[in-house]
């Protein structure tokens, strides 16, 4: 009331909020078209101010011009009279009217009655406001229509537009159509829209990259006027905008393959578009193969392949001469200048790149083109090291001339740094973007006018012999060369400098080598097996991979236990095929689900599946190094990652958005941690859906209703934040500072990064919440994560040992042996050997690179046993995730494990001599144990543990296949006992041995080979007590196959051949047996003899036995028993058993 | 809610060919309260506004020749009524000089752009 009275005394003032509020009461009520408080409402008042100013100006200038009109009017009267008003008024040009009469009247009446008659807007004010509102409405209509018209104009101007009807017709008439068009023709955005508007529903369009799925979905939904609906959506690994009303879905090739795995007919789609087929990614080639066979059974399905104009015939031919529609691209003319690097500036293999040829191009541009003519430079180099060399040199030049901003672009940069290439440079300054081939296809930067092409690319290849990936530098193909050139002509005419001769260009390969010819095919083969596509060798690929490559993969999968000896999927293999990860990571997950170690294993598996969160650039920053210190674990990199993730979750729980700063201080890319947490969640869901993890028992943990409501409101708020973010995202490009590139990013990038991001932080500190944080909160339950994190943070050394073993078994056979002379070498020269590759080194990012001592056998624990033999109880091996050769072969993500213990528990084959003092593991590692007695003991413990582990794992997997049904879980007690046993074996086995790698020559004469007269003395006393496996002579190595992995006495030994028959007295620790036994007899007794009070579970025995005998049926032969006078089909061991039976009965 | 797909009706300008689906034809689009259109219009939901209640006028028919035209300034003009550009040019003399000047200026500048 008080305020009312005060208002009374004033006259009408448009600037007063009170006056405006009164007008709002008339025009912008709660149900009106524009409501007070909305964005439009705010815009209206801004418009109002501008409009009033404009009117005043206009009134002044137009006051004299009025009479003029009257004169001209007369001339028009001859023909039809349009009946237009005599006097011009801009109001007549607006086709909208606003009726507020009713409100005005009501207000008028109420104010008559009220005391404040003189206050409130008069009719003049109201009509002023109404007029402005009309103009405002007209203005916003024009604005929106302008956008629509522009959009349609752009669509029309695309080269592909004139083929619109032709495309739709071809798709109607043919099951497969190839649309080939070069960059800028508009195929990716337009073809799906043409099909949509032609009435096709349920269209899927695959992309090789996740980013493209998101950006295309955004663009196409905008263009199809559905940016706020969900008609067009995308689906990538962790995110989807798909709803039941989605008609067009962009998704990755990998994801579509997974969908086919689930639904063989792919009935959810009517049309499939496979985009960028010319890029020949592994998944894409495979997808085409799968679709090819799928089409045969589904004549209604439509397939469209979209490609650049590269090798089109290949695709058309593969699909039964499918029709091809070729669309010209829209490129501006590009001048090509060949500037081969003179011989004295060519770097040899080991030298740094000479920057002079590159600097000359920058200088040339500065001389030839005035700075006002805008246009940036994109420079293609092969790798990160090359980029930083050239960046350094260019930066010096840029600082000097002040006409360039130098920016690197490669995938190991932080995302913020990557994003800078899209920002604009200030006038008179050009961007010089130095990039890997990431800018060739994956990243498109507008405004590039100059391209410098080094002609080189680093490409991953796979060496099946060394089981090693290799990143090597190659000349690019002509197709890539053209693609790089094309980047200069996207927005205007351009220039492409090729730093090689035209004759070099002519000698380039026409196309890049397809991925399927370059990479390990393990995952592919596994997926093929699970999709029942038959023999991979006979599958019709568009361009079949080398046979050797497939065979290597099959062998590897067998070693991994994913395929059995007949190359069929094992039960673990079936499961691994469902997991969208590397086989080794998948194995870890499955193994982890058995023991009570799911949380840490989930985290490690996720961490090993994404790029490292540790930024390379921060590695040499002492502050980061110090801050990282507490996260590091000298057990191995996976443990460091685990610590990092857990600490991050801790921080997120306590400080929420503060985690960004926390990460920055440690030189961590937080995006990777977000990826980890998402992936971790996905893994957890996968394990749960395969019955390997109990479904959450704590369903509504959200407590009482109030808390739940609170969480609901919070979620609502978060969703709103997410939407707001999406809205403003597009208008975010900022102008770069001239000193942007030179903050020393090339030397110690973290400072620059810190500074740059710090600024952004401050800007957005208040309301502008970190969008990643919002998504994180929407997706995850922080307290649940925290709980999981604290569980794995407080891991005991026993749990840690067990986790190590699981990782090791997952990673097996990826093991490396430290070179025996490492202790005499410098830290940086430590050498390791894998089975297939000698002389590998640890990647500098690994914890073992900075702390190699923990891998060495401590001096005091060794005993020199002559020149070639060092005995110790402490030998260690490294299990590693990747072996990648760049300039050297590097191991990354390593864990150290006790050698003998780990080998006996995970190796595929352990071969022994007669007294088991000499063991050869997987044909490449030799262990010599000092004490035969200890040797026997450790072996038989390992045998027992492994048998039990295998049994429980199978039981667990068996359960998962029967998910849903009432199945008995592997009992907790049994599991605990096993893990206890494994841990004790790992930590407390004290046995002295030597460890070395066998030379090629030694491996040749390793085995005694099959014995011609199968000595019955060997097998006579064999009592096949190892569950599921029967001892029998090994047909290749000789000796006796005691269990799936252990082969007794097959090694050619310098010692006498009879020690296997030697019996020595021995007391069983479990029962009271005391008698002379051969080594084998003793082991067998140990395997069967359990401590008193702990009986074997008899019910499980027959199952395993049956499975084993059935799988061994191929080994049986017909045996005629004289006693029974019958023909029996038996294995050789069974024959022996049978004979013995008669012996006993005769007694 | 998404519109359910009952055969979408499409508006197309007979002069420039611009086409877009429309959801309403008339003078009173839904949810516009006090707002009334002064001509019968082809109306759609404004695709550029997150607010589903905002409308967008695509076009209407010329009050003289009944040709279907979009509201773009190259195709039609509203001055108390809708006129397609052809009719405007035919009867240019009857339009106030402000409009004539404006059109002349536009013609001039578009010619300049072409040459």
């Amino acid at each position: 009331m008080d305020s009312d009275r005060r208002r009374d005394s004033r006259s009408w003032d448009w600037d007063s909020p009170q006056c405006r509020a009164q007008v709002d009461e008339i025009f912008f009520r709660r149900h009106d078209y524009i409501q007070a408080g909305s964005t439009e409402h705010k815009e209206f008042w801004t418009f109002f101010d501008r409009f009033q100013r404009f009117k005043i100006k206009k009134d002044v200038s137009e006051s004299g011009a009025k009479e003029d009109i009257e004169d001209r009017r007369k001339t028009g009267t001859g023909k039809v009279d349009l009946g237009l008003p005599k006097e011009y008024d801009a109001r007549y040009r607006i086709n909208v009217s606003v009726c507020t009469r009713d409100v005005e009247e009501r207000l008028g009446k109420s104010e008559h009655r009220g005391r404040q008659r003189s206050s409130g807007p008069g009719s003049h004010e109201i009509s002023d406001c109404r007029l402005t509102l009309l103009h405002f409405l007209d203005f916003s209509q024009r604005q929106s229509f302008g956008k629509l018209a522009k959009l349609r104009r752009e669509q029309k101007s695309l080269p592909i537009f004139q083929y619109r009807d032709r495309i739709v017709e071809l798709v109607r008439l043919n099951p497969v159509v190839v649309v080939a068009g070069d960059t800028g023709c508009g195929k990716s955005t337009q073809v799906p829209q043409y099909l949509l508007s032609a009435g096709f529903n349920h269209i899927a369009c695959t992309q090789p990259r996740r980013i493209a799925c998101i950006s295309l979905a955004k663009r196409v939904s905008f263009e199809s006027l559905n940016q706020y609906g969900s008609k067009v959506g995308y689906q990538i690994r962790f995110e989807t905008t798909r709803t039941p009303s989605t008609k067009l879905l962009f998704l990755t090739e990998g994801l579509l393959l997974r969908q086919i795995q689930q639904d063989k007919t792919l009935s959810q789609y009517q049309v499939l578009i496979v985009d960028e087929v010319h890029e020949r990614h592994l998944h894409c080639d495979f997808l085409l193969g799968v679709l090819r066979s799928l089409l045969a059974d589904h004549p209604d399905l439509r397939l469209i392949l979209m490609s650049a104009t590269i090798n089109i015939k290949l695709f058309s031919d593969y699909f039964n001469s499918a029709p091809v529609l070729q669309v010209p691209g829209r490129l501006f003319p590009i001048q090509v200048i060949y500037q081969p690097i003179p011989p004295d500036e060519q770097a040899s293999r080991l030298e740094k790149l000479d920057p002079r040829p590159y600097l000359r191009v920058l200088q040339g541009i500065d001389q030839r083109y005035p700075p006002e003519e805008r246009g940036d430079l994109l420079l293609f180099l092969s790798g990160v090291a090359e980029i930083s060399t050239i960046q350094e040199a260019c930066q010096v030049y840029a600082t000097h001339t002040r006409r360039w901003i130098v920016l690197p672009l490669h995938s190991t940069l932080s995302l913020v740094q990557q994003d800078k290439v899209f920002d604009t440079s200030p006038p008179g300054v050009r961007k010089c973007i130095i990039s890997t081939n990431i800018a060739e296809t994956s990243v498109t930067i507008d405004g590039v006018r100059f391209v410098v092409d080094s002609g080189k690319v680093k490409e991953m290849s796979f060496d099946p012999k060394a089981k090693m990936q290799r990143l090597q530098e190659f000349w690019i193909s002509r197709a890539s060369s053209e693609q790089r050139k094309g980047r200069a002509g996207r927005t205007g005419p351009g220039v492409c400098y090729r730093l090689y001769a035209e004759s070099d260009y002519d000698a380039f390969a026409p196309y890049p080598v397809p991925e399927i010819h370059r990479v390990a095919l393990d995952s592919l083969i596994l997926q093929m097996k699970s999709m029942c596509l038959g023999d991979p060798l006979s599958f019709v690929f568009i361009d079949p991979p080398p046979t050797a490559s497939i065979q290597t993969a099959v062998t590897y999968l067998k070693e991994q236990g994913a395929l059995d000896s007949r190359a069929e999927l094992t039960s673990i293999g079936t499961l691994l095929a469902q997991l969208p990860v590397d086989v080794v990571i998948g194995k870890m997950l499955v193994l982890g689900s058995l023991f009570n170690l799911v949380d840490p294993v989930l985290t490690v598996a996720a961490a090993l599946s994404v790029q490292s969160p540790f930024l390379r650039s921060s590695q040499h920053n002492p502050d980061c190094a110090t801050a990282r210190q507490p996260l590091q674990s000298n057990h191995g990199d996976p443990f460091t990652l685990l610590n990092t993730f857990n600490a991050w979750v801790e921080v997120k729980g306590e400080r929420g958005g503060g985690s960004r700063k926390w990460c920055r201080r440690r030189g961590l890319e937080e995006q990777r941690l977000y990826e980890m947490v998402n992936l971790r969640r996905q893994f957890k869901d996968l394990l749960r859906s395969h019955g390997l993890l109990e479904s959450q028992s704590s369903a509504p943990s959200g407590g009482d209703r109030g808390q739940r409501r609170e969480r609901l409101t919070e979620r609502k708020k978060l969703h709103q934040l997410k939407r707001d973010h999406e809205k403003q995202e597009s208008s975010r490009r900022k102008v770069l500072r001239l000193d942007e590139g030179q903050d020393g990013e090339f030397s110690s990038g973290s400072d620059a990064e810190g500074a740059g991001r710090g600024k952004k932080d401050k800007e957005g500190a208040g309301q502008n919440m970190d969008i990643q944080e919002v998504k994180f909160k929407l997706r995850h339950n922080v307290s649940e994560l925290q709980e999981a994190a604290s569980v794995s943070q407080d891991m005991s050394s026993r749990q840690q040992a067990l986790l190590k073993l699981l990782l090791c078994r997952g990673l097996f056979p990826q093991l490396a042996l430290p070179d025996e002379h490492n202790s005499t070498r410098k830290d940086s020269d430590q050498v390791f050997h894998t089975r297939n590759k000698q002389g590998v080194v640890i990647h500098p990012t690994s914890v073992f690179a900075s702390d190699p001592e923990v891998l060495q056998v401590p001096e005091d624990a060794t005993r020199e046993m002559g020149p070639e033999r060092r005995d110790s109880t402490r030998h260690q091996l490294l299990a590693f995730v990747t072996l990648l050769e760049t300039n050297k072969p590097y191991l990354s993500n390593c864990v150290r494990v006790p050698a003998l213990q780990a080998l006996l528990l995970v190796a595929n084959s352990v071969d022994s001599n007669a007294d088991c003092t000499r063991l050869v593991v997987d044909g490449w590692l030799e262990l010599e144990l000092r004490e035969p007695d200890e040797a026997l003991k450790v072996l038989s413990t390992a045998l027992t543990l492994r048998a039990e582990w295998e049994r429980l794992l199978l039981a667990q997997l068996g359960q998962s296949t029967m998910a849903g049904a009432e199945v008995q879980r592997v009992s907790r007690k049994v599991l605990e006992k096993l893990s206890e046993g494994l841990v004790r074996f790992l930590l407390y086995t004290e046995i002295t041995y030597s460890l070395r790698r066998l030379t090629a020559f030694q491996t040749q004469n390793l085995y005694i080979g099959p014995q011609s007269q199968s000595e019955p003395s060997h097998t006579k006393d064999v009592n096949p007590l190892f569950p599921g496996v029967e001892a029998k002579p090994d047909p290749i190595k000789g000796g006796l196959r005691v269990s799936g992995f252990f082969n007794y006495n097959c090694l050619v030994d310098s010692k006498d051949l009879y020690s296997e028959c030697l019996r020595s007295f021995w007391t069983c620790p479990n029962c009271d047996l005391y008698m002379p036994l051969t080594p084998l007899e003793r082991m067998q007794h140990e395997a069967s003899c359990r401590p008193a009070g702990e009986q074997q579970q008899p019910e499980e025995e027959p199952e395993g036995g049956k499975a084993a005998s059935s799988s061994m049926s191929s080994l049986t032969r017909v045996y005629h028993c004289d006693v029974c006078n019958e023909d029996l089909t038996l294995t050789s061991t069974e024959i022996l058993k049978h004979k013995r039976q008669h012996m006993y009965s005769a007694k | 809610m998404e519109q359910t797909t009952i055969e979408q009706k499409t508006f197309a300008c007979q002069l420039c060919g611009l086409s877009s689906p429309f959801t309403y034809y008339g003078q009173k689009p839904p949810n516009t309260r006090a707002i009334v259109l002064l001509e019968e219009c082809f109306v759609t939901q404004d695709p550029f506004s997150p607010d589903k209640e905002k409308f967008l006028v695509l076009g209407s028919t010329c009050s003289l020749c009944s040709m279907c035209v979009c509201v773009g300034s190259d195709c039609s003009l509203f001055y108390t009524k809708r006129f397609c550009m052809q009719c405007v040019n035919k009867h240019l003399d009857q339009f106030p000089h402000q409009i004539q000047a404006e059109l002349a200026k536009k013609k001039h500048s578009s010619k300049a752009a072409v040459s």
Side-chain angles (χ1 to χ4, degrees), chain A residues 285-303:
Chain A
D285 270 17
F286 178 43
L287 180 63
L288 291 182
V290 173
L291 292 176
R292 190 173 176 272
S293 52
L294 203 142
L295 276 169
D297 303 329
H298 298 88
D300 293 337
L301 190 66
R302 288 290 175 264
L303 176 63

Side-chain angles (χ1 to χ4, degrees), chain A residues 849-1023:
Chain A
S850 47
D851 192 9
E853 274 114 78
V854 294
L855 293 176
Q856 285 159 12
V857 177
E859 281 302 321
D860 55 342
T862 58
R863 267 182 283 176
E864 296 286 340
M865 297 288 292
E868 286 297 293
R869 198 173 152 181
R870 299 176 84 215
D871 279 14
S872 170
T873 57
R874 315 271 282 273
H875 292 290
Q876 291 183 95
L877 292 174
L878 279 185
F880 59 89
V881 180
T882 43
L883 170 55
L884 169 68
E885 187 177 75
T886 50
N887 52 351
K888 284 180 199 166
Y890 285 113
L891 300 173
S892 12
N893 282 327
C894 309
V895 194
R896 63 185 167 96
V897 290
L900 172 118
Q901 295 89 325
L903 286 173
L904 289 184
L905 290 176
V906 307
N908 269 340
S909 93
V910 175
D911 304 314
S912 82
N913 63 355
D915 62 357
C916 298
T917 51
R918 190 171 155 238
L919 303 174
V920 170
V921 178
D922 292 318
W924 74 286
L925 288 171
E926 184 189 63
L927 294 83
E928 284 188 274
L929 293 76
R930 189 108 48 110
E931 299 293 331
D933 217 42
E934 283 181 359
L936 269 179
K937 194 169 147 230
V938 76
L939 251 170
S940 53
T941 316
L943 282 171
T944 318
L945 284 169
R946 275 186 76 151
E948 179 71 355
W949 192 359
E950 227 44 50
R951 189 180 70 80
L952 296 185
L953 194 60
L954 278 177
Q956 168 96 347
L957 289 175
Q959 259 175 22
S960 73
T961 54
M962 295 182 283
E966 185 53 47
V967 278
Q968 76 188 83
R969 291 221 137 241
V970 173
S971 102
R972 176 134 292 178
K973 221 172 104 196
V974 176
L975 265 176
E976 261 158 31
K977 190 170 158 280
L978 172 63
S979 53
E980 180 61 32
L982 289 171
V983 168
R984 203 178 315 136
F985 185 73
L986 274 178
L987 292 179
Y988 308 121
T989 303
E990 285 285 328
I991 184 158
T992 310
Y993 63 101
S994 71
L995 172 66
R996 68 191 181 99
R997 180 180 200 282
L998 292 172
T999 62
F1001 174 74
Q1002 285 169 316
T1003 52
Q1004 273 170 17
N1005 304 303
L1006 208 51
Y1007 302 110
I1008 49 176
Q1011 301 310 89
S1012 46
Q1013 31 34 308
S1014 169
E1015 289 172 56
S1017 67
H1018 272 236
T1019 47
K1020 187 159 200 167
D1021 309 314
V1022 168
N1023 196 359

Side-chain angles (χ1 to χ4, degrees), chain A residues 1066 1068 1071 1073 1077 1080-1089:
Chain A
W1066 176 70
C1068 174
C1071 60
L1073 182 82
L1077 293 171
L1080 199 56
E1081 286 166 342
R1082 192 181 132 182
M1083 270 191 276
Q1084 281 156 358
H1085 175 82
E1086 278 192 286
S1088 62
C1089 183

Side-chain angles (χ1 to χ4, degrees), chain A residues 77-96:
Chain A
T77 44
K79 298 174 257 170
V80 193
D81 183 15
L82 301 184
L84 299 178
K86 296 270 179 280
E87 206 163 304
Y88 175 79
D89 190 333
R91 158 82 188 81
Y92 296 140
R93 304 187 64 168
I94 300 170
N95 66 345
V96 184

Side-chain angles (χ1 to χ4, degrees), chain B residues 1 5 8 20 23 26 29 31-32 45 47-48 64-65 70 76 98 112:
Chain B
M1 270 304 293
T5 14
Q8 266 191 341
S20 189
T23 48
N31 305 316
T32 46
Q45 179 202 312
F48 306 106
L64 285 183
C65 69
C70 75
S76 74
Q98 279 91 341

Side-chain angles (χ1 to χ4, degrees), chain A residues 39-255:
Chain A
T39 1
E40 287 85 12
H41 178 246
K42 254 176 257 151
E43 282 166 10
F44 168 79
W45 283 113
T46 323
F47 182 85
F48 183 89
D49 295 335
R50 257 192 299 148
F51 189 70
Q52 296 305 320
R53 262 178 274 137
F54 172 76
K55 244 186 11 187
I56 292 165
K57 236 196 270 168
K58 209 175 162 207
D59 283 348
V60 173
S61 68
E62 261 183 15
S63 51
K66 264 187 181 160
E67 297 97 76
D68 223 31
I69 311 163
E70 298 300 324
D71 302 338
R72 292 204 187 169
R73 295 248 104 195
K74 292 165 202 155
T75 47
T77 44
K79 298 174 257 170
V80 193
D81 183 15
L82 301 184
L84 299 178
K86 296 270 179 280
E87 206 163 304
Y88 175 79
D89 190 333
R91 158 82 188 81
Y92 296 140
R93 304 187 64 168
I94 300 170
N95 66 345
V96 184
S97 129
V98 177
C99 311
T100 48
R101 195 66 55 201
D102 51 331
V103 191
E104 284 165 47
E105 271 165 18
R106 197 147 35 81
L107 272 181
K109 265 181 221 155
S110 72
E111 269 166 27
H112 271 294
R113 276 185 228 119
R115 290 166 296 157
Q116 298 132 354
R117 201 185 168 283
S118 58
S119 80
S123 62
H124 183 67
E125 277 84 25
I126 291 180
S127 69
D128 248 11
C129 186
R130 176 180 301 114
L131 187 68
T132 317
L133 177 56
L134 290 178
H135 277 281
F136 177 68
L137 289 171
D138 188 54
F139 169 75
S140 21
Q141 285 290 318
R142 274 175 209 279
Q143 226 178 11
S144 279
F145 186 81
K147 272 191 208 169
L148 177 66
K150 178 167 174 250
L151 184 67
R152 293 291 191 241
R153 253 196 325 273
E154 282 170 357
Q155 286 179 325
K156 248 183 165 173
S157 72
L158 287 168
I160 202 162
F161 183 75
Q162 47 187 311
Y163 299 90
R164 183 190 160 117
D165 297 337
R166 179 89 186 107
I167 289 170
V168 171
E169 187 196 320
L170 277 174
V171 173
R172 285 224 166 92
L173 298 176
N174 299 280
V176 183
V177 176
V178 180
V179 176
D182 282 320
T183 322
C185 80
K187 57 184 187 309
S188 300
T189 54
Q190 303 305 303
V191 171
Q193 289 187 70
Y194 297 165
L195 297 175
L196 261 187
S197 51
F200 288 99
N201 280 326
H202 310 296
I203 304 169
C205 180
T206 69
Q207 292 295 324
R209 285 166 289 274
R210 280 180 237 163
I211 286 273
C213 293
I214 301 176
S215 58
L216 276 173
K218 218 179 235 172
R219 179 68 200 169
V220 172
S221 63
F222 173 77
E223 283 194 24
S224 54
L225 310 181
N226 199 260
Q227 73 183 116
Y228 298 101
S230 61
K231 205 168 82 184
V232 181
Y234 66 86
Q235 190 171 7
I236 56 175
R237 189 139 86 163
F238 308 119
E239 274 185 79
T240 183
T241 56
R242 188 181 192 174
T243 69
S245 57
T246 301
K247 292 177 179 174
L248 168 61
L249 183 72
F250 289 93
L251 76 176
T252 54
E253 291 153 354
L255 203 63

